[in-house]
Amino acid sequence: MEQPSKTVFTRKRYDRLAFFYDFLEAPLERYRFAHWRSRLTDRIVGDRALEVGVGTGKNLPYYPRNVKITAIDFSRRMLEQARKRASVLGSMVQLQKMDVQQLAFPDNSFDTVFGTFVFCSVPDPVAGLKELKRVCKSNGRLLLLEHMRPGNVLLGLLFDVVNPMVVRMMGANINRRTMDNIKKAGWQILKEEQLSGDIVRWVEAKPL
Ligand SMILES: C[S@@+](CC[C@H](N)C(=O)[O-])C[C@H]1O[C@@H](n2cnc3c(N)ncnc32)[C@H](O)[C@@H]1O
């Protein structure tokens, strides 16, 4: 498990950003993310689903109505924004403060586990992805929308150089090898789609 100090640092970054977060992302949200979000939530299967790193609740408008969804985040202030959004939408989502690296749910609790733009900032992404595998049913699904380190050698190196500054400002890493992390945590990739070059990817996986 990653040092607790990194977890505290990242949580504080999101607490600090929460109030402005939707404003900062508004252009990208409008022209890119909104469409990608609905494509992901369309793939939710089963009766019970878990969203991790729910943030300000940007996926809430796209949740299927017939699925019981629990959503967690470790930032109290991001969750406050998500609660406001849930109330405006009349959403039945159960929001809880929790760290994806140490989930409080029993094994095999959910049919689908999902997240968008989360594993760039989880301090120990493999630990988080292992926890998702633990709480996911053996015939369940993992759905992720994530940005990651580009495969191009020069661009990858550039992302490595710029990464410490982005982490300091936003709490997110831009050079994570998330496909490798998903596999290391014991998931089998079923589908992978590149959405913005190879930087943003849509991934569907099942427990190995
Ligand atoms: C970049 S934001 C994305 C928010 C949202 N999923 C979206 O698509 O807009 C990352 C979110 O993950 C949360 N997060 C990061 N590490 C986490 C952890 N270890 N446990 C729970 N939430 C975490 C942050 O607090 C933040 O709300």
Side-chain angles (χ1 to χ4, degrees), residues 86-182:
S87 154
V88 169
L89 292 170
S91 169
M92 298 298 284
V93 62
Q94 290 192 350
L95 292 161
Q96 295 187 34
K97 185 171 182 297
M98 205 181 289
D99 186 338
V100 68
Q101 300 163 118
Q102 286 175 300
L103 293 172
F105 306 110
D107 298 357
N108 307 313
S109 296
F110 299 98
D111 302 290
T112 302
V113 291
F114 67 102
T116 56
F117 308 112
V118 173
F119 286 94
C120 52
S121 57
V122 175
D124 186 338
V126 176
L129 287 158
K130 279 184 179 166
E131 273 294 85
L132 284 187
K133 188 183 167 212
R134 181 183 66 74
V135 302
C136 184
K137 294 180 183 170
S138 55
N139 61 348
R141 288 289 181 271
L142 168 70
L143 304 173
L144 291 177
L145 181 60
E146 292 287 341
H147 62 80
M148 33 195 113
R149 190 181 190 277
N152 176 284
V153 177
L154 286 179
L155 210 51
L157 287 174
L158 179 67
F159 274 44
D160 290 342
V161 170
V162 176
N163 190 58
M165 194 181 72
V166 181
V167 172
R168 189 163 288 276
M169 284 166 48
M170 307 290 288
N173 293 268
I174 55 170
N175 66 346
R176 287 265 168 96
R177 297 174 195 266
T178 301
M179 296 310 298
D180 292 343
N181 292 340
I182 296 169

Side-chain angles (χ1 to χ4, degrees), residues 142-144 148 179 182 189 191-192 201-205:
L142 168 70
L143 304 173
L144 291 177
M148 33 195 113
M179 296 310 298
I182 296 169
I189 309 291
K191 282 187 195 152
E192 176 191 344
R201 299 188 202 190
W202 183 92
V203 181
E204 180 170 354

Side-chain angles (χ1 to χ4, degrees), residues 3-15 74 123:
Q3 296 152 357
S5 59
K6 283 206 178 166
T7 297
V8 172
F9 171 87
T10 309
R11 184 167 44 69
K12 283 188 176 166
R13 276 289 170 282
Y14 281 102
D15 277 345
F74 71 171

Side-chain angles (χ1 to χ4, degrees), residues 2 5 7 19 32-33 56-57 60 75 79 86 88 90 98 102 139 151 157 182 190 208:
E2 193 60 74
S5 59
T7 297
F19 188 74
R32 288 271 158 128
F33 295 171
T56 60
L60 264 58
S75 158
L79 272 178
V88 169
M98 205 181 289
Q102 286 175 300
N139 61 348
L157 287 174
I182 296 169
L190 296 174
L208 258 179

Side-chain angles (χ1 to χ4, degrees), residues 27-42:
L28 278 172
E29 192 63 43
R30 185 159 174 197
Y31 293 109
R32 288 271 158 128
F33 295 171
H35 172 61
W36 294 344
R37 291 180 192 285
S38 60
R39 279 191 55 201
L40 182 140
T41 53
D42 283 351

